[in-house]
Amino acid sequence: YFGGSAYTCGLCSDPHGPVTSTIFTAPSAIAVDAAGSVFVAGVSNASDLPVSTAAYAPQCGCNNDVAEPFIAKLAAGGTGLVWGSYLPVQDVSENQSPAITGIALDLSGNVILSGKTGRGLPATAEAIQSSGLTPAGVSPAYSGFAAKLDTSGSQLLFATYFGGSTELVSGGVNGVATDG
C-alpha cells in the first residue's frame, strides 16, 4: 500500500454545514529501473505521504479539496521506500487538479515526469516556457508540464510548462520518453 491518513483542511465547512472529504492517493504512472526499483507517481491530497527527509518537497501544498503530485521510489521487490517527494506544481488558491500522466527514467536514473497543472510550477531557468499560456484571472487554467528530478528525489533539475488551456481535459502532456 502507498498512501496517507491525514489532510490539511482547506474547505472543511460552508454555510450549509460540514464538508465531507476523503483522503485519497491516486497513482497514475509507473516505471521500473534495471535494478528492479519501482517508481510510482500520481496525485494525493494526503499531507502525510511517506517522503524522505532530503526530499525536493517534503511538505504537501494540498488540502482536503485539492491534490498535489507525488513521486516515490520503492526498493526492488517492494521491500521499502527509497525516497519520496511531493512535486509542488500548482497554486492551491486556484482550486485546480493537477495530474501526472507520464514517467520515464533517463540513463543516469533521473526521473522525468509529465502531466498537467495550474499556475505554480517552479519553472527552472532553462525552461522552454516559464509560465502557462492561459491569461491570469482565467479559471480554470491548465498547462502541460515536464519536470526532471535527480536520482535521489532531492533536486529539481528541470521544469517547464508546455502550452495552456482553460479546458480540464486538455492542456496536458500525456506521456514522456527518453532517447539513448
Side-chain angles (χ1 to χ4, degrees), residues 3 13 25 27-28 30 32 35 39 42 51 62 78 83 85 92 97 110 113 117 138 157 159:
S13 65
T25 301
S28 56
I30 192 166
V32 179
F39 295 79
V51 296
C62 56
W83 59 262
S85 181
V92 174
S97 297
N110 298 311
L113 302 167
T117 184
V138 174
L157 301 175

Side-chain angles (χ1 to χ4, degrees), residues 143-158:
S143 295
F145 77 91
K148 184 177 193 177
L149 289 171
D150 71 348
T151 60
S152 67
S154 62
Q155 184 179 10
L156 183 67
L157 301 175
F158 181 81

Side-chain angles (χ1 to χ4, degrees), residues 9-95:
C9 196
L11 175 64
C12 289
S13 65
D14 69 18
H16 306 291
V19 174
T20 304
S21 296
T22 301
I23 299 168
F24 71 90
T25 301
S28 56
I30 192 166
V32 179
D33 68 12
S37 297
V38 176
F39 295 79
V40 61
V43 295
S44 181
N45 71 345
S47 58
D48 62 347
L49 286 181
V51 296
S52 342
T53 55
Y56 167 67
Q59 301 290 318
C60 181
C62 56
N63 61 46
N64 64 306
D65 201 38
V66 179
E68 186 163 82
F70 70 88
I71 175 72
K73 179 180 180 180
L74 307 176
T79 58
L81 179 73
V82 176
W83 59 262
S85 181
Y86 290 101
L87 184 63
V89 297
Q90 65 172 332
D91 180 349
V92 174
S93 67
E94 292 188 355
N95 199 27

Side-chain angles (χ1 to χ4, degrees), residues 118-138:
R119 296 176 187 92
L121 176 75
T124 55
E126 308 83 22
I128 295 167
Q129 184 180 326
S130 60
S131 64
L133 295 178
T134 306
V138 174

